[in-house]
Amino acid sequence: PVTFTVRNASAVPASALDVAVSDAAAWAIASNGCTMLPAQGTCTFQVSFAPKAAGARAGQLTVRPTAGAPALAELTGNGTSPP
């Protein structure tokens, strides 16, 4: 899994962050420590890549706070065939 860190630059805590991936067949939220984001604080979550087939895969990671615009990140990976 890859660890992502979210930082809250605001003086107001953010609650109920929604962390999601667009291609659940290849990407998954492995752990989510971002259910609450304190003011001026950070939280972390992990995304794992486990495609069911070989080949290039692309997806999008979305972190959506209860208020404000979501943060987006592009995900790319290359699945390989099992030995």
Side-chain angles (χ1 to χ4, degrees), residues 1-4 21-31 46-61 74-81:
V2 175
T3 300
F4 291 84
V21 291
S22 64
D23 181 359
W27 308 92
I29 305 301
S31 67
Q46 293 184 321
V47 175
S48 61
F49 178 64
K52 309 254 187 294
R57 300 297 292 257
Q60 188 173 61
L61 169 68
E74 298 302 317
L75 302 171
T76 59
N78 192 31
T80 58
S81 297

Side-chain angles (χ1 to χ4, degrees), residues 1-77:
V2 175
T3 300
F4 291 84
T5 300
V6 178
R7 180 175 175 267
N8 182 359
S10 170
V12 178
S15 61
L17 289 179
D18 178 36
V19 179
V21 291
S22 64
D23 181 359
W27 308 92
I29 305 301
S31 67
N32 184 359
C34 288
T35 56
M36 178 68 172
L37 183 55
Q40 303 293 319
T42 62
C43 64
T44 60
F45 60 91
Q46 293 184 321
V47 175
S48 61
F49 178 64
K52 309 254 187 294
R57 300 297 292 257
Q60 188 173 61
L61 169 68
T62 305
V63 179
R64 188 178 316 277
T66 52
L72 306 172
E74 298 302 317
L75 302 171
T76 59

